[in-house]
């Protein structure tokens, strides 16, 4: 981490910070996924809960996720400033001081965990605190810059929200809650590695050891397929553990087949390979990246569909399968 | 670049908006803690648990 050393010029010429810049520090898109999976966990617990307290629990999960995002942007400002995808973020662009992002992250962490203790229960608060610390310290400060397994292990932080939601509703974390966690955990590697297959140049430039940078594209494609073959059966499993119903079985099964099909295409293709210096190189890169881009886009849709199916079944009162 | 003593009108406007956003967020937090307290107290009165 280099505070905002990479950005003194940016700071000198930047527009004054707007309140929207502080919202951007909270990574609202990531936050929306976390809210969705956390809500699914809360609803799947099948435990009556005061709607106000349920809303506060989801708010705490959202704010906790936002706090993690702010801490991540504070610490990663130096490498964010050098990557195309991230250089417009508020800290590297100089609109927000690194210290302000750090202060916001710490403040929101304390408030979200504290409110979870007061409004909900200690278990949910402890899991939320662990999630924030795991993302900010274990993933951002340690794993991200030191191992190609960064997003595999770090994925646990993104996988925990349904467990927090379940704990908020019921005060416990049964196996089905951890099954939801396992689904997101195993989804993360094929999701991020398919993205990194066509953005690895940026990661290489800043020294982040993403899998394609360290092990090469072919190894990454093999691992994407391997993780997909493990992930899809786990994604279907809730239909057999009393959690999902017929709708979930159909969505997870059919979507799972499509997921594996796309992963096989990535495996057989040349995504992530340098196109060389041939005249048509630019078009080669685009064609190579297509399979990886398709898998990346479909992975988002598939995860959303899995949790939406569970949520819809619960809200519509549809029974779980008894197999 | 502006500082606190000689800031541009644009920077002053942005600062006022940030201050307003912080004030609103703090007020919302106070209201939230109040509502949570009422809900929890009400829950204990209705179901004292013994």
């Amino acid at each position: 981490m280099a505070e905002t050393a990479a950005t003194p010029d940016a700071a000198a010429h930047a527009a004054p910070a707007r309140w929207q810049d502080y919202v951007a520090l909270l990574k609202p898109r990531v936050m929306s996924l976390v809210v969705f999976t956390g809500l699914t966990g809360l609803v799947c617990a099948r435990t009556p809960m005061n709607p106000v307290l349920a809303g506060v629990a989801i708010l705490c999960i959202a704010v906790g996720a936002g706090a993690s995002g702010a801490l991540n942007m504070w610490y990663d400002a130096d490498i964010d400033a050098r990557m195309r995808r991230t250089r417009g973020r508020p800290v590297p662009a100089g609109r927000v001081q690194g210290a302000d992002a750090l202060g916001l992250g710490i403040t929101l962490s304390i408030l979200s965990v504290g409110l979870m203790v007061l409004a909900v229960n200690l278990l949910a608060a402890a899991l939320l605190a662990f999630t924030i610390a795991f993302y900010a310290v274990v993933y951002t400060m340690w794993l991200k810059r030191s191992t190609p397994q960064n997003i595999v292990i770090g994925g646990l932080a993104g996988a925990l929200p349904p467990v927090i939601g379940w704990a908020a509703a019921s005060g416990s974390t049964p196996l089905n809650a951890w099954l939801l966690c396992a689904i997101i955990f195993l989804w993360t590697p094929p999701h991020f590695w398919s993205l990194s297959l066509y953005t690895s140049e940026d990661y290489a430039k800043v020294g982040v050891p993403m899998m394609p940078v360290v092990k090469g594209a072919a190894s990454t494609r093999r691992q994407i397929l391997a993780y997909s073959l493990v992930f899809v059966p786990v994604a279907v499993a809730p239909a057999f553990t009393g959690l999902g119903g017929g709708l979930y079985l159909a969505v997870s099964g059919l979507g799972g087949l499509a997921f594996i099909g796309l992963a096989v295409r990535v495996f057989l293709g040349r995504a992530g390979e340098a196109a060389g210096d041939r005249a048509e190189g630019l078009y080669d890169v685009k064609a190579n990246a297509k399979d990886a881009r398709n898998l990346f886009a479909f992975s988002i849709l598939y995860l959303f569909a899995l949790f939406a199916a569970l949520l819809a079944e619960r809200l519509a009162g549809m029974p779980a399968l008894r197999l | 670049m502006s500082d606190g003593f000689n800031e541009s009108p644009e920077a002053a406007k942005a600062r006022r908006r940030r201050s307003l956003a912080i004030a609103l967020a703090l007020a919302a937090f106070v209201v939230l803690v109040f509502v949570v307290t009422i809900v929890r107290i009400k829950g204990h009165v209705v179901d004292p648990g013994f």
Side-chain angles (χ1 to χ4, degrees), chain A residues 47-104:
Chain A
T47 306
M49 189 177 186
N50 182 294
V52 172
L53 299 184
V56 170
I58 296 301
L59 179 70
C60 289
I61 294 173
V63 173
S68 307
L71 293 170
N72 172 274
M73 286 207 204
W74 157 69
Y75 192 82
D76 277 347
D78 57 336
I79 57 176
D80 282 351
R82 293 157 59 205
M83 295 201 290
R84 270 176 301 176
R85 188 173 64 85
T86 54
R87 64 187 169 203
R89 286 177 171 175
V91 180
R95 297 191 302 276
V96 173
Q97 293 292 313
D100 290 348
L102 173 64
L104 183 70

Side-chain angles (χ1 to χ4, degrees), chain B residues 1-22:
Chain B
M1 179 71 171
S2 61
D3 58 43
F5 300 99
N6 188 25
E7 62 185 355
S8 67
E10 187 194 3
K13 194 174 167 187
R15 184 171 50 77
R16 275 196 299 275
R17 285 186 175 170
R18 290 200 304 271
S19 301
L20 184 64
I22 292 170

Side-chain angles (χ1 to χ4, degrees), chain A residues 107-198:
Chain A
T107 304
L108 292 184
S109 299
I110 293 169
L111 289 181
S112 59
V113 173
L115 192 58
M116 191 72 110
V117 174
L118 285 173
V120 186
N121 61 52
L122 199 56
L123 177 62
L127 284 167
L128 181 62
F130 174 80
T131 304
I132 296 170
F134 194 85
Y135 185 76
V137 179
V138 178
Y139 171 70
T140 302
M141 297 182 188
W142 176 30
L143 296 171
K144 184 172 178 179
R145 302 182 192 213
S146 62
T147 168
Q149 298 297 326
N150 47 15
I151 56 103
V152 179
I153 307 166
L156 180 63
L160 279 169
V163 183
I164 302 172
W166 201 302
S170 69
S172 64
T173 57
L175 273 179
N176 271 335
W178 291 105
L179 187 54
L180 295 180
C181 175
I183 288 172
I184 304 175
F185 184 76
L186 291 169
W187 166 88
T188 305
H191 168 74
F192 272 108
W193 284 338
S194 58
L195 170 71
S196 67
L197 276 176
Y198 57 93

Side-chain angles (χ1 to χ4, degrees), chain A:
Chain A
M1 184 243 58
E3 184 61 5
T4 47
T7 62
D9 287 344
H13 298 103
R18 300 167 305 153
W19 62 268
Q20 291 95 329
D21 290 320
Y22 290 89
V23 174
L25 285 176
L26 309 182
K27 298 191 178 181
R29 273 188 297 182
V30 174
M31 197 193 270
S32 61
L33 183 66
V34 164
V35 164
F36 185 56
T37 58
L39 176 67
T40 304
L42 187 142
V43 171
C44 285
R46 290 177 182 265
T47 306
M49 189 177 186
N50 182 294
V52 172
L53 299 184
V56 170
I58 296 301
L59 179 70
C60 289
I61 294 173
V63 173
S68 307
L71 293 170
N72 172 274
M73 286 207 204
W74 157 69
Y75 192 82
D76 277 347
D78 57 336
I79 57 176
D80 282 351
R82 293 157 59 205
M83 295 201 290
R84 270 176 301 176
R85 188 173 64 85
T86 54
R87 64 187 169 203
R89 286 177 171 175
V91 180
R95 297 191 302 276
V96 173
Q97 293 292 313
D100 290 348
L102 173 64
L104 183 70
I106 291 174
T107 304
L108 292 184
S109 299
I110 293 169
L111 289 181
S112 59
V113 173
L115 192 58
M116 191 72 110
V117 174
L118 285 173
V120 186
N121 61 52
L122 199 56
L123 177 62
L127 284 167
L128 181 62
F130 174 80
T131 304
I132 296 170
F134 194 85
Y135 185 76
V137 179
V138 178
Y139 171 70
T140 302
M141 297 182 188
W142 176 30
L143 296 171
K144 184 172 178 179
R145 302 182 192 213
S146 62
T147 168
Q149 298 297 326
N150 47 15
I151 56 103
V152 179
I153 307 166
L156 180 63
L160 279 169
V163 183
I164 302 172
W166 201 302
S170 69
S172 64
T173 57
L175 273 179
N176 271 335
W178 291 105
L179 187 54
L180 295 180
C181 175
I183 288 172
I184 304 175
F185 184 76
L186 291 169
W187 166 88
T188 305
H191 168 74
F192 272 108
W193 284 338
S194 58
L195 170 71
S196 67
L197 276 176
Y198 57 93
T199 56
S200 59
E201 275 178 28
D202 263 359
Y203 289 117
K205 196 166 68 183
V206 298
V208 172
M210 288 299 281
M211 191 60 77
V213 177
V214 177
K215 299 287 183 185
S219 172
T220 306
R221 294 196 300 267
R222 264 199 311 278
Q223 294 189 64
I224 285 175
L225 180 61
Y227 268 98
S228 300
L229 292 172
V230 177
F231 160 60
V232 170
V234 172
V236 177
F240 302 93
T241 62
L243 186 56
L247 174 68
Y248 183 83
L249 181 61
V251 168
S252 60
L254 294 174
L257 288 176
F259 195 101
I260 289 177
L262 289 168
V264 168
R265 286 183 65 115
V266 170
F267 173 68
L268 295 175
R270 293 172 55 232
E273 300 289 350
D277 53 3
R278 288 171 294 168
E280 68 275 25
L282 179 64
Y283 299 100
D284 277 355
V285 171
K286 284 181 179 172
N288 285 350
K290 203 174 165 191
D291 291 333
R293 271 201 297 253
N294 288 344
L295 179 60
F296 174 72
F298 185 76
S299 67
I300 297 170
L301 178 68
Y302 185 51
L303 188 71
F304 175 79
L306 291 176
F307 280 81
L310 284 175
L311 203 53
E313 285 181 344
R314 278 289 181 276
L315 296 177
M318 293 163 70
L321 289 176
R322 297 287 171 209
L323 299 169

